[in-house]
Amino acid sequence: MKDRVKVILLGEKVKHDIVDAVIEGPNTDLLDDFVVAKVLTDHEQDDDFKPTIEALNRVLRLAQKADPDQVSDVDPSLFNNDSEPKLYAAVNQVASEAAGLDMPSYYTALADLKPVINDYFEATMVMDKDDAIKNNRLSQLTQLANLILRLGDLNQLIVK
């Protein structure tokens, strides 16, 4: 079925990298695939599209390093800097609103996290020597990555 979606999207002149991002994502709702492709296409010329996708992809790449057996609920008592609780609060806000957002609003909510994500990475060494801190940070990024993946595998996007 995903192959049919790909053919249709390419026939609609959606850029191949956007099609790949949508098709390679874990989304199982085919209608959402079309909506996400439109949202990404509508935003790809935005001035902040490239830095937004780069920030979201950084989260996705680091979250892949998490050991699934070690991913758990985020423990705020393990936070060591001001950026960690800010990201935690922002992610929880998006997560709590996600079900009620249409896809354009959902993209905007994730895009609005860009400065919080960038601040987090400026202040935080995710792969800390202390395993409890490292696993907590990876759990936090995994929580955000799961939200991002609703848009697809954004690592497939070619941003210049």
Side-chain angles (χ1 to χ4, degrees):
M1 208 54 167
K2 289 276 191 177
D3 288 337
R4 288 194 97 173
V5 172
K6 184 174 187 171
V7 169
I8 292 168
L9 288 172
L10 289 171
E12 293 292 320
K13 306 289 188 234
V14 176
K15 288 177 50 183
H16 70 88
D17 60 324
I18 291 175
V19 172
D20 290 343
V22 169
I23 297 301
E24 297 298 324
N27 193 357
T28 58
D29 184 334
L30 298 179
L31 183 55
D32 271 358
D33 288 347
F34 289 100
V35 175
V36 170
K38 178 171 180 10
V39 168
L40 293 174
T41 299
D42 289 348
H43 287 282
E44 73 175 328
Q45 297 303 317
D46 294 353
D47 290 339
D48 66 339
F49 185 73
K50 178 183 185 286
T52 295
I53 297 303
E54 288 171 344
L56 298 176
N57 278 338
R58 190 169 182 191
V59 171
L60 291 174
R61 283 191 302 275
L62 275 167
Q64 290 175 338
K65 296 178 186 248
D67 178 350
D69 295 331
Q70 298 298 319
V71 173
S72 62
D73 291 337
V74 177
D75 181 357
S77 72
L78 293 173
F79 293 163
N80 289 333
N81 63 59
D82 292 341
S83 69
E84 290 176 283
K86 287 178 183 173
L87 182 64
Y88 181 70
V91 169
N92 284 334
Q93 179 75 29
V94 172
S96 71
E97 296 173 353
L101 296 176
D102 61 12
M103 200 56 74
S105 300
Y106 188 76
Y107 170 84
T108 300
L110 289 174
D112 288 347
L113 294 178
K114 177 180 58 92
V116 179
I117 293 168
N118 289 339
D119 290 347
Y120 177 85
F121 285 124
E122 282 293 318
T124 308
M125 174 61 72
V126 174
M127 304 308 265
D128 197 271
K129 291 179 271 184
D130 182 322
D131 281 345
I133 293 172
K134 175 181 77 172
N135 290 330
N136 195 57
R137 290 174 177 167
L138 288 170
S139 293
Q140 186 173 25
L141 293 177
T142 299
Q143 180 186 18
L144 177 52
N146 289 334
L147 294 173
I148 295 167
L149 286 170
R150 183 173 169 203
L151 295 176
D153 179 5
L154 300 185
N155 284 307
Q156 300 293 323
L157 295 178
I158 300 169
V159 289
K160 298 177 186 179

